[in-house]
């Protein structure tokens, strides 16, 4: 397990917040100042640069065509990514053949392609999670010496245990986890104050339910329901130190998951929303995209997720009035909030015949001309200091600032248990989605089932202690 320094993470957060604190009032992520090409006062240098861009576009057809393949999760096929791919074709004559894969099929397909030696040139995944899922040095190209790595705001995210970088990242920090809600829906139903206690949260859900509004939306994409737990487990422990102590004990077989009743309490809290009738009945079939649309149009009031989702919703549904709050829960006695210390990105297949072209793409994508496009409809914290992170939600920034200042941000559990990453999407996350429908699986039973998976997997890996 790669144990991050808590002090280093705090330093990163302070560094990130410096870039946004001065802009929180206008809801902007850190943005470089740049001339407006449409103003009469445009500088000669800017005009010359603009003309050069036009010439570059015009000359793209004269360049030799190159093609690379890439696979991306369906939920991350963002409009900004499409714009970057289009720009590559128009200016560099580089075609990216994109294979979009349903999220719940992605891990198995990726491992199958790697095993067969027929992997695409570019692989979409979050890091450091990818390093727990596969053997990065064996399958991924070493990008440590690439020029863009020296400009990374937070190189720790993409750095492997061996000290090398195997992934290009878009973000320096993936934000916070909490309850995303539709402000207009709450206002229309007379809810003027956000809940501060579990009892107030239930009362709010009952009010929405009585009005015919689904209180909590949940899709069948397993990576979304699990956010409740990856955030909740860390919130239940109350600090990064306790979370890492727990992980060290479990991953060395000195303790079992079932030895920690607070974990079962988090799962039971999640399951209680089903028994109370707060969750949409079609949670086993409805897609993530459909849930976002329901939240935006008011069919549903809330969805537990990440601040990244807030940017996605606002970019897709600009008229939606979206906010976020830290859901009160009995398992969280310290009122802490989950933080996501990872980033969406792409890696290069080590044996790609087009590796030089992929590296060229990553270098181009690290520039503001390309990377700004990614953030236009998906605001966040850029991996590079000169990139415009887009217009961020003011409520998210305020919430982030509040919990950062009070020292109450805790790292979500997934990266802390990264050694178990290969089991998450195939077992644990499936159990979370199955448990409500099975009816007899409470938090303790679910943990017992997963503990068996953990012991079998770690023995097969010949992990110390197993």
């Amino acid at each position: 397990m790669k144990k991050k320094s808590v002090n280093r993470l705090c330093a990163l957060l302070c560094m990130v917040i410096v870039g946004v604190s001065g802009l929180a009032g206008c809801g902007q992520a850190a943005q470089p100042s740049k001339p407006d090409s449409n103003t009469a006062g445009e500088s000669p240098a800017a005009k010359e640069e603009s003309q050069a861009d036009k010439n570059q576009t015009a000359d793209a057809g004269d360049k030799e065509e190159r093609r690379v393949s890439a696979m991306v999760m369906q939920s991350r096929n963002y409009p900004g990514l499409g714009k970057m791919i289009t720009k590559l074709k128009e200016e560099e004559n580089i075609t990216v053949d994109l294979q979009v894969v349903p999220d719940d099929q992605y891990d198995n397909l990726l491992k199958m392609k790697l095993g067969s030696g027929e992997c695409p040139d570019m692989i979409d995944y979050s890091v450091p999670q990818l390093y727990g899922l596969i053997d990065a040095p064996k399958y991924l190209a070493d990008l440590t010496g690439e020029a863009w790595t020296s400009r990374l705001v937070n190189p720790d995210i993409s750095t492997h245990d061996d000290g090398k970088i195997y992934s290009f990242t878009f973000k320096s920090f993936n934000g916070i986890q909490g309850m995303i809600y539709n402000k207009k829906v709450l206002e229309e139903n007379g809810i003027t104050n956000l809940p501060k206690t579990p009892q107030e949260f239930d009362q709010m859900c009952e009010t929405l339910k009585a009005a015919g509004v689904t209180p909590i939306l949940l899709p069948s994409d397993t990576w979304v329901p699990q956010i409740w737990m990856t955030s909740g487990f860390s919130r239940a422990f109350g600090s990064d130190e306790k979370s890492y102590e727990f992980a060290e004990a479990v991953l060395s077989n000195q303790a079992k998951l079932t030895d920690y009743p607070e974990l079962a309490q988090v799962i039971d809290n999640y399951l209680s929303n089903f028994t109370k009738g707060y969750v949409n009945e079609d949670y086993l079939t409805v897609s993530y995209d459909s849930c976002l649309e329901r939240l935006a149009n008011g069919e549903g009031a809330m969805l537990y997720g990440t601040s990244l989702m807030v940017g996605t919703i606002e970019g897709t549904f600009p008229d939606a009035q979206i906010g976020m709050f830290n859901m009160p829960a009995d398992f969280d006695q310290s009122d802490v909030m989950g933080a996501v210390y990872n980033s969406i990105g792409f890696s290069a297949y080590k044996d790609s015949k087009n590796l030089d072209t992929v590296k060229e793409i990553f270098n181009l994508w690290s520039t503001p001309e390309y990377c700004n496009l990614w953030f236009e409809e998906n605001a966040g914290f850029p991996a590079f200091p000169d990139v415009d992170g887009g217009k961020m939600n003011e409520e998210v920034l305020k919430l982030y600032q509040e919990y950062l200042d009070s020292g109450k941000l805790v790292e979500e559990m997934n990266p802390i248990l990264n050694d178990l990453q290969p089991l998450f999407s195939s077992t644990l996350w499936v159990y979370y989605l199955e448990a409500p429908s099975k009816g007899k699986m409470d938090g303790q039973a679910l943990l017992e089932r997963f503990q068996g998976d953990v012991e079998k997997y770690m023995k097969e890996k010949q992990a110390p202690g197993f």
Side-chain angles (χ1 to χ4, degrees):
M1 179 183 63
K2 182 180 179 182
K3 182 172 180 178
K4 294 188 179 79
S5 162
V6 175
N7 289 333
R8 184 172 61 187
L9 290 174
C10 290
L12 162 66
L13 293 176
C14 290
M15 176 172 59
V16 170
I17 201 64
V18 164
V20 298
S21 59
L23 295 159
C26 60
Q28 294 278 342
Q31 299 183 34
S33 92
K34 52 188 177 183
D36 183 351
S37 60
N38 293 321
T39 62
E42 183 180 37
S43 69
K47 291 180 180 178
E48 184 176 343
E49 182 179 353
S50 177
Q51 184 59 47
D53 289 342
K54 292 178 181 177
N55 291 340
Q56 184 180 28
T57 302
D59 292 343
D62 297 333
K63 297 181 180 179
E64 179 184 357
E65 181 182 15
R66 290 171 287 170
R67 305 185 76 93
V68 299
S69 57
M71 58 185 293
V72 62
M73 295 183 196
Q74 186 172 4
S75 65
R76 301 218 289 239
N77 187 21
Y78 299 127
L81 177 63
K83 292 178 182 178
M84 295 168 73
I85 290 173
T86 298
K87 188 177 177 69
L88 281 173
K89 177 61 178 175
E90 291 176 347
E91 299 186 1
E92 305 297 331
N93 206 8
I94 297 174
T95 298
V96 178
D97 294 320
L98 200 63
Q99 180 183 4
V100 181
V101 180
D103 291 31
D104 59 357
Q105 300 175 24
Y106 195 90
D107 284 9
N108 288 337
L109 183 61
L110 173 59
K111 287 185 280 189
M112 182 181 72
K113 287 182 176 292
L114 288 171
S116 68
E118 298 179 353
C119 190
D121 302 311
M122 296 167 58
I123 303 165
D124 158 51
Y125 216 89
S126 292
V127 288
Q129 281 86 335
L130 180 60
Y131 300 159
L133 182 71
I134 65 173
D135 185 344
K138 178 179 179 180
Y139 293 115
L140 305 180
D142 180 4
L143 305 172
T144 311
E146 298 303 304
W148 52 265
T149 61
S150 65
R151 296 169 39 238
L152 286 168
V153 171
N154 180 25
D156 289 341
I157 280 182
S158 49
T159 301
H160 190 270
D161 285 349
D162 63 7
K164 296 179 180 180
I165 292 176
Y166 295 98
S167 294
F168 171 89
T169 51
F170 288 105
K171 307 180 79 172
S172 60
F173 168 68
N174 220 6
I176 51 180
Q177 296 163 321
M179 191 63 79
I180 304 167
Y181 70 100
N182 185 314
K183 295 181 181 181
K184 188 176 180 181
V185 169
L186 266 58
E187 292 172 0
E188 289 177 347
N189 287 280
I191 302 170
T192 56
N193 296 313
L194 294 173
K196 298 296 184 183
T197 67
Q199 294 73 28
E200 290 177 357
F201 179 77
D202 280 355
Q203 184 179 0
M204 180 177 71
C205 289
E206 290 292 344
T207 299
L208 293 165
K209 181 181 173 183
V213 177
T214 302
I216 301 172
L217 292 163
L218 199 73
S220 59
D221 304 70
T222 57
W223 66 273
V224 181
Q226 65 85 27
I227 297 173
W228 199 290
M229 269 58 68
T230 187
S231 170
F233 291 163
S234 296
R235 292 178 64 194
F237 285 120
S239 70
D240 288 337
E241 289 83 359
K242 290 183 179 179
S243 291
Y244 275 106
E245 287 173 6
F246 149 76
E248 291 283 7
V250 168
L251 295 176
S252 61
N253 205 21
Q254 298 178 55
K256 300 183 185 299
L257 295 166
T258 48
D259 294 335
Y260 298 88
E262 51 266 70
L263 302 183
Q265 188 180 7
V266 173
I267 300 171
D268 288 338
N269 172 272
Y270 157 79
L271 294 175
S272 70
N273 293 290
F274 295 87
T275 58
K276 294 172 183 176
Y278 296 162
V279 180
N280 49 291
E281 294 182 356
D282 60 350
Y283 68 92
L284 287 173
T285 57
V286 68
S287 71
Y288 168 68
D289 289 342
S290 294
C291 279
L292 295 190
E293 184 175 3
R294 291 182 189 181
L295 182 64
N297 66 26
E299 291 181 56
M302 296 178 286
L303 186 153
Y304 198 82
T306 71
S307 52
L308 172 66
M309 296 180 186
V310 175
T312 301
I313 296 168
E314 292 180 330
T316 309
F317 307 97
D319 294 332
Q321 299 177 32
I322 302 298
M324 178 182 252
F325 65 91
N326 198 27
M327 183 196 71
D330 288 331
F331 60 73
D332 179 4
Q333 297 297 312
S334 304
D335 185 28
V336 293
M337 188 169 210
V340 190
Y341 301 130
N342 64 25
S343 173
I344 291 173
F346 278 89
S347 296
Y349 180 45
K350 189 174 186 177
D351 294 330
S352 166
K353 296 178 180 179
N354 303 303
L355 187 55
D356 288 342
T357 301
V358 173
K359 289 182 177 181
E360 182 180 344
I361 289 172
F362 289 165
N363 189 53
L364 288 167
W365 280 5
S366 74
T367 65
E369 290 76 16
Y370 277 86
C371 209
N372 286 354
L373 297 174
W374 195 87
F375 286 96
E376 279 181 358
E377 299 173 48
N378 194 36
F381 302 101
F384 304 98
D386 48 353
V387 170
D388 183 347
K391 180 176 175 59
M392 290 190 66
N393 183 284
E394 293 182 10
E395 195 162 311
V396 169
L397 282 174
K398 182 179 178 182
L399 195 64
Y400 172 59
Q401 178 81 65
E402 174 188 341
Y403 278 84
L404 176 70
D405 289 346
S406 60
K408 290 188 174 184
L409 286 177
V410 291
E411 182 177 4
E412 64 159 328
M413 188 56 66
N414 284 348
I416 298 175
L417 290 175
N418 209 28
D419 287 0
L420 302 179
Q421 186 70 220
L423 295 179
F424 289 163
S425 64
S426 61
T427 59
L428 182 60
W429 297 357
V430 177
Y431 300 161
Y432 291 151
L433 201 62
E434 289 179 347
S437 63
K438 290 186 178 298
K440 296 181 180 179
M441 189 186 299
D442 61 6
Q444 189 70 8
L446 192 153
L447 290 172
E448 288 175 359
R449 185 177 179 184
F450 185 56
Q451 179 65 36
D453 298 324
V454 170
E455 292 175 3
K456 178 182 178 182
Y457 173 71
M458 296 298 270
K459 286 177 182 177
E460 289 175 351
K461 278 185 61 176
Q462 298 183 333
F466 290 85

